[in-house]
Amino acid sequence: MLTNDIKSFIWQEIKQNKTKLSSLLPLIQRYYPAANLKEVYDYIADLQTKGFIEITDGFIKVKFFLNPPIDLEKLRKGTNFYDYDKIRIAQGEGAVEIPRRWINPMVEHMPDYCDQGDRGTCVGWSMAIGLTILKLMKMFMKGDPLPVSINKHRFRETPDKLPCAIEREEYFDEFISPEYIYTMARRFGGIDKKYASGAYLTDSVPYVQKVGAMLEKDCWTSLTPYCAPFLYPWSWRGMTEDAAHEEAGCLKIVGYSQTTSFDTFCRGIYERGVAWIDVNIYENYMDGGCVGCYPFPRGECVGGHAQVAVGYDLDKGEVYIFGSWKRWKGLQGIRKDAWNIVAGLGLIPIDIEMKKVAEKLYTKVYVTSNVDVTFDVDGVRRDETREFSVAFESGSVHEIIATPISSMMVVEPRQVWQFEAVGEEIHHDFPFTPVEPSTPIVEKSWIAKIIESIFKKFSWFRK
């Protein structure tokens, strides 16, 4: 039976390259000489039967790109954002009735589909789709004309000054760029230093709140990893990356809140327009024919997926998602009976009034370090290595430990900060002292000593 290491190796090779079956097998034999090739064949055939991959002219290609499985328990215990229910209660809204079924009407003005193509860019796509819908809602409220819902379907071009052919979809001018959010979320969370692809939804949210987002027409999103230039065509017009981040400030979001409750998540969708969620996907997810809600999970967890919810049905117990997989027909969905198994932390946008209420209930703690460290917050390890923020209820007491990843490069083995959450914001830096490089003493070789003794016999050398 194939080990998980071999299966992971096969997946990694398939996802990173358009792998030929005939070249994959020698690679497996090279790195896993004990692997049974018949079992490898059977495993790949099973992936094809289940619809995870397609094999054309001997090449293996993944149909649905997923990020690694998500640690849902860790996400659900997180305190990155304000609690949506607590803010509502503090506002005095209580359990106000919401419609039993609702889908954001702006969905009708969205493209007929969105497609992340051959890349694990779902974090960028889910954020971009949700932000685009929120932007259309604002346009509708102001009475501005809404865009025509069209795609210029996948096409290939080699624009001026670009040294490769980029494959992409063209959307309406108001569409938010997934590429910008995906790339900057990776940088913001330090994921670009750890993994070749993928990002965290919990990194994209604070980045969009802190800096903002760009439009797709200024930052194209490639469907393939082979030509995915960042900030094209923005940079090729002679504009700098700093100018791009400044431009992104026009598309900021005021704030976010969190929930782990299915019912609260549905309420957030209705009251705020959209909401985001991390979902673990199981191997039977295509049993329904890539239509509608994911079936109740069975088998192994095959990966994680960031998604944006645009509607719900409380009577059916379903949340509806505008996906980034072209192959999935119409809206996707998550059922309530599977919520606690597959769903992570629900993220709900808030407006300026809710943020003012939240700031009285919580203390926002911003933590930074001048070197790469591992952060432990109240005993829970975080993924960030340089900076992060958390929201603690005012008056609570906490402990944050920063441990340098490269302990030989700094003086302090670790730093501990114990504090009480008081006030609206607290900023704390962990300043580690770099080790001063020592100048090595190079012992002269015996030949050098002989040459020096000879030279010293000459008066011109002694002078």
Side-chain angles (χ1 to χ4, degrees), residues 53-296:
I53 62 174
E54 57 188 21
I55 302 178
T56 306
D57 298 329
F59 285 93
I60 309 172
K61 183 178 176 182
V62 175
K63 281 188 176 183
F64 297 91
F65 274 75
L66 292 165
N67 287 332
I70 303 157
D71 186 341
L72 298 184
E73 183 179 357
K74 182 178 179 180
L75 266 183
R76 285 171 165 262
K77 289 181 178 178
T79 54
N80 292 48
F81 311 101
Y82 309 125
D83 184 273
Y84 190 70
D85 275 331
K86 287 181 180 178
I87 300 172
R88 291 189 72 261
I89 292 170
Q91 281 186 313
E93 294 187 8
V96 179
E97 287 292 326
I98 63 173
R100 301 297 296 172
R101 186 180 190 277
W102 185 81
I103 294 179
N104 193 311
M106 294 302 106
V107 168
E108 297 298 321
H109 297 274
M110 289 291 286
D112 50 352
Y113 68 81
C114 289
D115 186 18
Q116 67 184 68
D118 303 341
R119 302 172 65 199
T121 52
C122 59
V123 164
W125 276 101
S126 63
M127 283 299 300
I129 293 167
L131 293 175
T132 299
I133 291 175
L134 292 179
K135 185 178 182 183
L136 295 185
M137 289 175 66
K138 289 182 180 179
M139 292 173 63
F140 177 77
M141 296 298 290
K142 289 168 60 180
D144 295 338
L146 296 174
V148 178
S149 174
I150 58 171
N151 299 51
K152 184 175 180 183
H153 295 307
R154 183 169 180 153
F155 66 97
R156 183 182 178 89
E157 61 179 334
T158 307
D160 292 340
K161 300 182 181 179
L162 194 65
C164 55
I166 186 171
E167 293 187 38
R168 66 187 184 96
E169 299 272 2
E170 186 174 8
Y171 302 100
F172 47 73
D173 285 349
E174 294 81 5
F175 200 86
I176 306 295
S177 168
E179 183 69 43
Y180 179 80
I181 297 172
Y182 168 72
T183 301
M184 297 314 299
R186 283 172 54 77
R187 290 187 191 177
F188 186 76
I191 305 304
D192 58 332
K193 298 177 184 177
K194 299 180 182 179
Y195 308 112
S197 64
Y200 293 133
L201 197 55
T202 48
D203 289 327
S204 67
V205 164
Y207 184 82
V208 172
Q209 181 180 348
K210 180 179 179 181
V211 180
M214 291 189 73
L215 296 173
E216 174 68 16
K217 65 185 181 68
D218 292 323
C219 184
W220 291 354
T221 305
S222 174
L223 296 169
T224 70
Y226 309 109
C227 185
F230 181 52
L231 286 181
Y232 184 88
W234 178 270
S235 59
W236 294 91
R237 295 173 186 151
M239 291 178 280
T240 66
E241 183 169 328
D242 287 343
H245 302 326
E246 187 175 340
E247 177 78 6
C250 299
L251 296 169
K252 282 185 179 180
I253 291 296
V254 172
Y256 290 84
S257 60
Q258 67 182 41
T259 187
T260 57
S261 162
F262 178 89
D263 292 329
T264 300
F265 191 70
C266 292
R267 176 180 291 280
I269 297 168
Y270 174 71
E271 293 179 345
R272 313 311 312 164
V274 297
W276 288 268
I277 189 75
D278 280 307
V279 178
N280 270 339
I281 305 294
Y282 285 74
E283 65 178 58
N284 68 320
Y285 70 106
M286 287 179 288
D287 285 358
C290 298
V291 176
C293 291
Y294 301 129
F296 191 85

Side-chain angles (χ1 to χ4, degrees), residues 50 55 90 94 96 117 123 133 161 174 184 193 219 255 318 368 380 406 411 417 429 432 444 453 462:
K50 290 177 177 176
I55 302 178
V96 179
V123 164
I133 291 175
K161 300 182 181 179
E174 294 81 5
M184 297 314 299
K193 298 177 184 177
C219 184
E318 296 176 344
T368 57
V380 178
S406 299
V411 175
W417 178 42
D429 182 52
F432 286 89
K444 294 179 181 177
S453 66
R462 291 195 297 273

Side-chain angles (χ1 to χ4, degrees), residues 190 266 326 358 426:
C266 292
K326 176 183 175 181
I426 300 177

Side-chain angles (χ1 to χ4, degrees), residues 397-411:
V397 178
H398 304 275
E399 179 183 80
I400 298 178
I401 300 173
T403 306
I405 293 174
S406 299
S407 58
M408 302 295 291
M409 303 299 291
V410 295
V411 175

